[in-house]
Amino acid sequence: MKTILTTSSPVLYDEDFNLWINSTIELLQQKRFDELDIKNLIAEVASMGNNDKKSVKSNLRILLMHLLKWQYQPDKRTNSWRTTIKEHRNRLEDDFADSPSLKNYFLEVFNECYQKARDLASSETGLSLGVFPVESPFDIDAVMKSDFFPD
């Protein structure tokens, strides 16, 4: 018979993550800090921040890729592309509303994301990578404007 641990322990973390979370919350609420599984708690808090950053990168890459497709394949523009552009702007805006400091991260990774978006746009459109400028043709502020669709 398996013993259910009532404290937030490393063993519980590995055996039943959901129970570990609930136990950790309870210990925090009761201010029983000496019973916390500090190592895994720190890892989980750090992971939360990393997930937010991954979300910014992912949404920015998709947004930039679709803006490139929009600009370089005007004859193939669809409402689906327009919706994807709007949706990924909305997701980024939600991220920034929840954590305003992520806007700085957005600026920090913009060029990196553009390079990846450029490669994705080339793969998806079948156009040569050289068709897309090495430097982003989009003003960083314009990318997030709801009415911005490049010509």
Side-chain angles (χ1 to χ4, degrees), residues 6-57:
T6 57
T7 61
S8 179
S9 71
V11 172
L12 185 58
Y13 180 85
D14 293 331
E15 290 183 2
D16 188 333
F17 182 71
N18 188 58
L19 183 57
W20 178 86
I21 288 174
N22 291 331
S23 295
T24 300
I25 291 168
E26 189 173 317
L27 291 171
L28 287 167
Q29 289 171 334
Q30 295 173 3
K31 299 181 179 165
R32 293 168 46 197
F33 305 124
D34 56 328
E35 297 176 50
L36 290 169
D37 172 11
I38 297 295
K39 178 183 171 201
N40 286 318
L41 181 57
I42 290 169
E44 289 303 319
V45 171
S47 175
M48 290 167 46
N50 288 337
N51 287 340
D52 290 344
K53 288 180 175 182
K54 285 179 183 177
S55 174
V56 168
K57 275 184 159 182

Side-chain angles (χ1 to χ4, degrees), residues 6 11 14 25 27 33 40 46-47 55 63-64 71 85-86 89 93 96 102 105 107 112 115 124 132-133 148:
T6 57
V11 172
D14 293 331
I25 291 168
L27 291 171
F33 305 124
N40 286 318
S47 175
S55 174
L63 172 57
L64 291 170
Q71 182 169 0
I85 289 168
K86 288 179 174 277
R89 280 185 181 135
E93 287 170 357
F96 301 154
L102 287 173
Y105 184 71
L107 298 171
E112 172 191 337
Q115 294 307 317
E124 195 164 304
F132 305 103
F148 173 70

Side-chain angles (χ1 to χ4, degrees), residues 100-137:
S101 65
L102 287 173
K103 180 71 174 183
N104 293 329
Y105 184 71
F106 167 92
L107 298 171
E108 182 182 317
V109 299
F110 186 88
N111 290 327
E112 172 191 337
C113 289
Y114 174 74
Q115 294 307 317
K116 291 181 179 179
R118 183 175 171 254
D119 184 57
L120 289 170
S122 175
S123 293
E124 195 164 304
T125 63
L127 297 172
S128 166
L129 186 62
V131 168
F132 305 103
V134 173
E135 298 294 321
S136 175

